[in-house]
Every structure is written in structure tokens, then in C-alpha cells.
Amino acid sequence: MTAASLRLLRAAGFVSNFDRFCITPMVILIGIQLGAPLPTVMLAASGYFLAYGLMQPVWGLASDRLGRVWVMRFSLAGAAVAALASVLAPNTTVLIVARVAAGAFFAASIAASITYVGDTVPAAVRQRPLSELMTAFALGTAVATIIAGALAHYVSWRLVFALPGLLAAYLAVALRRLPEPPREASGALLAPFKVVLRSRWQWYVMAVAMLEGAVLLGFLTYIAPTLEAQGASATLAGAVSALYGVGSMSAAQIVKRLVGRWSPVLLIVAGGMQMLVAFGLAAASTSVPSLVGCALLLGGGWAFMHSTIQSWATALSPTARATGVAMFGLALYVGSALASALAAGPAEHHAYRGMFLTAALLTIPLTIAAAVGRARYRG
């Protein structure tokens, strides 16, 4: 893989994560301006995550049949249109529909970029470029939460949705320079699903991914609302949430150096320990310093644990890699959406500490399941 190709893939992942996380520090402001309660506005976030997850196998199947680059370009063009609809939404109903559509289209970029790496980089060194992608994904998260909070507070939340839309439109054109990697003929329409779903390890890794999505991504959504419920501005809440991206970017650089020196199991356990401490801090106190530590450690946990599990997922079904990675993404984001939706009720009553304690407790079985499974895998 060339450096130019990796830059384009990083850009596609960056804009996807930017769009996915930009709503987090704005939900309270959007609710106030549109006259809607928090649980209703959170449907725009949880609906986005759910669509993002449910469309993974659709894009994976299309990628295996039509090509990685074609899928990225087509989906980014659709994402640009959905972003425009989000900008113009007159009420929460239209906003929710637009965000669900945006989630459905942006869902293709990250999975397709990861699959592209799987197609073009040998398994022994694959986690290094995957860590580069994770860095770009984390940067998208960090920039989104910082810019979203500031722009929503000082200008308008509508402008925030316009930014990823413009970037998506640009990339839909720019990605024509990305060469299509060779892939095996997929045969019958549903043949890739048959290959993927016959693998017991695929099911195991999907179960781990669903729990990971629930524990990390689902509860991460509530760091900004926790601060805003205590009177913090959207700008401050967004800045604290953005530290998740800072932690992830910093830890990704460490992970790149540790690949080949630490076993995958050790990387998973190190990530799980960071996540446990992170949620423990938030459960003990929802002060700004505690949530700063929580966000940084969650980013570190994501870089250590998720990049390792993600690399594992790319090796499970090499003859239907895009579909396999997509099913992994489906599990991850469905778990995220379910946890985000279920936590909306406690969040409305400001029961944030109990919510983070639940996340800390769930981190334990997640880490054990991921580490034990990776230790036993001999593929």
C-alpha cells in the first residue's frame, strides 16, 4: 500500500468519525432550540449508531461484489446529501430521519478502509497501518467534539453538520485516485455471508464486538451530557469529550511500536485495564478532572483493545473479508446503539455515576472474553 492510498483511507475514516461523534456535545442545545426532551434528541444519536451498524453487512456485501473504492465513493456521495438534510432540518423528526440516513451512508467508509488494508497488507504487519487508521478515526472524534461544542455554542449546531457533508462530497471525487485492490470472485449473491457465518470464531468475535460497542461507545456518548447537566458549557463539554480522541491518538502510536513485541492478549488486557480505571473514575466522581481522566483512558483503552480485535477480525474470513469486517462492525455499532438508548432514561434523571459504574462492571467480562478468545484462536 502506498502512502497516498493510506492518506485517502485515513481521510475517509476521519470524516466518518467526525460525523458520527459531532452530535454528542450538542444534544442538549439541539433539544433546547427545537423544543424537545433529551431522550427524543438522543434518538438522533442512537438511531445514527443503529443505522451505522445495520448497514455494515449491506456495504460489506456490496464491497465484496462491486469493489471497495466504488462503495466508498457512492456512500460518501449519499452521506453528503444526508448531511445537507441535517443542516436544513426544521424539527426533531426530520433531524432524526436525516441523521439515520447519514449513519447509513457513512457506515461504509471505516469498514471499507479497514478491508482495503486487509486486502493489501500482510497479516503479520497489518496492525501497524490499522493503528494509523485508528489514529485518523480518533482525530475525527477529537476534532468533531471540539468544533461541535464551540460552533454549537457560539454559532449554530447546523453548521457542524455541514462540515462533514462538504468533506464527504470532496472525498467522493478524490477517491477515484485510489486503486481498486484485487479480490476473489464472490459467486452467488449471498455466498460471502455463508462463508462468514459458517465460522464459529466469527460469531465469537462478533459477540465480543457487541459487548465492546456497548461498554465503550455507548457510554462514551454521555461524557458531554454529564458535564452539561452540571452547568458546563457545550464548549467545555466538547473539549473534555475530545480528550478521548487525544488519548486514542497517543496510545495508537504506542501500540504501533508494541505490535510484534507484546502478544495480542497482552494488548487486549492493557486496553481493558485502562477502560476499567476510566469508568471507575467517572463512577466515583463526575467532576471535570475525573471525566478528563476518563476520556483520556477510554481513548487509550480503545487503541489497545479495539485495534487488536479489529486486526483479528480481518483474518477470520479472507475469502469474504469485507463481509466479515462488516459483520464485525454490525455487532459493534448495534451494541453501541442499544447501550446509548438504554442509558438515555437514567441520563435524563442525572444518574450518571450509576451508569458509569455499570460500564466499569461490564468491562470485566469484555476483557476476559476478548483475551481468552484471542489466546485460543489459532487461525
Side-chain angles (χ1 to χ4, degrees):
M1 175 187 292
T2 66
S5 296
L6 185 57
R7 282 196 296 271
L8 285 170
L9 294 176
R10 291 175 65 182
F14 170 89
V15 70
S16 179
N17 256 23
F18 184 107
D19 190 76
R20 184 153 56 95
F21 283 96
C22 67
I23 196 172
T24 303
M26 304 192 300
V27 288
I28 291 179
L29 279 175
I30 291 174
I32 292 172
Q33 293 185 17
L34 295 182
L38 178 61
T40 300
V41 180
M42 283 304 298
L43 288 175
S46 58
Y48 185 108
F49 292 145
L50 185 60
Y52 200 102
L54 292 176
M55 284 298 293
Q56 295 293 319
V58 176
W59 293 123
L61 182 61
S63 180
D64 276 333
R65 295 190 66 85
L66 303 173
R68 322 312 189 198
V69 178
W70 184 91
V71 161
M72 281 192 280
R73 294 187 65 194
F74 177 82
S75 62
L76 285 166
V81 175
L84 175 62
S86 302
V87 173
L88 301 176
N91 52 52
T92 52
T93 300
V94 175
L95 179 65
I96 291 168
V97 171
R99 297 315 296 159
V100 169
F105 281 110
F106 272 116
S109 295
I110 287 181
S113 63
I114 290 169
T115 303
Y116 195 101
V117 171
D119 288 338
T120 57
V121 180
V125 294
R126 190 174 295 157
Q127 193 168 349
R128 292 193 180 97
L130 286 176
S131 294
E132 290 283 348
L133 289 182
M134 296 299 166
T135 301
F137 303 164
L139 181 62
T141 303
V143 173
T145 47
I146 291 173
I147 289 180
L151 285 181
H153 183 72
Y154 294 108
V155 187
S156 171
W157 55 266
R158 297 179 186 276
L159 180 60
V160 176
F161 293 132
L163 298 178
L166 292 172
L167 289 171
Y170 164 76
L171 285 170
V173 177
L175 281 167
R176 72 184 187 279
R177 301 195 301 270
L178 189 67
E180 186 70 55
R183 64 188 189 281
E184 296 187 25
S186 56
L189 178 62
L190 299 181
F193 283 111
K194 294 179 181 178
V195 171
V196 169
L197 298 180
R198 277 200 302 263
S199 169
R200 289 182 297 173
W201 277 115
Q202 182 77 44
W203 285 101
Y204 187 93
V205 173
M206 285 169 59
V208 170
M210 180 173 286
L211 184 55
E212 183 190 27
V215 171
L216 184 54
L217 298 181
F219 290 100
L220 173 66
T221 308
Y222 287 95
I223 288 181
T226 299
L227 287 168
E228 290 182 87
Q230 300 174 83
S233 68
T235 303
L236 176 60
V240 173
S241 296
L243 293 175
Y244 161 80
V246 174
S248 183
M249 285 186 289
S250 301
Q253 303 310 305
I254 298 172
V255 171
K256 283 196 301 182
R257 294 178 174 86
L258 293 178
V259 171
R261 297 168 57 189
W262 282 22
S263 70
V265 173
L266 188 54
L267 290 171
I268 288 171
V269 171
M273 291 300 296
Q274 291 176 74
M275 290 163 57
L276 180 61
V277 174
F279 285 125
L281 284 173
S285 171
T286 55
S287 65
V288 171
S290 291
L291 292 178
V292 164
C294 176
L296 287 169
L297 286 168
L298 286 180
W302 174 261
F304 273 80
M305 178 181 284
H306 183 73
S307 68
T308 307
I309 300 174
Q310 184 74 79
S311 181
W312 182 14
T314 64
L316 295 173
S317 305
T319 61
R321 198 187 314 275
T323 302
V325 171
M327 294 299 289
F328 173 85
L330 169 65
L332 183 76
Y333 296 116
V334 167
S336 168
L338 290 175
S340 178
L342 290 173
E348 187 176 25
H349 295 92
H350 297 176
Y352 292 109
R353 290 177 61 182
M355 187 174 66
F356 289 128
L357 177 60
T358 300
L361 294 174
L362 288 174
T363 299
I364 298 171
L366 166 63
T367 304
I368 293 172
V372 170
R374 189 62 184 86
R376 293 181 177 176
Y377 177 72
R378 293 293 181 267

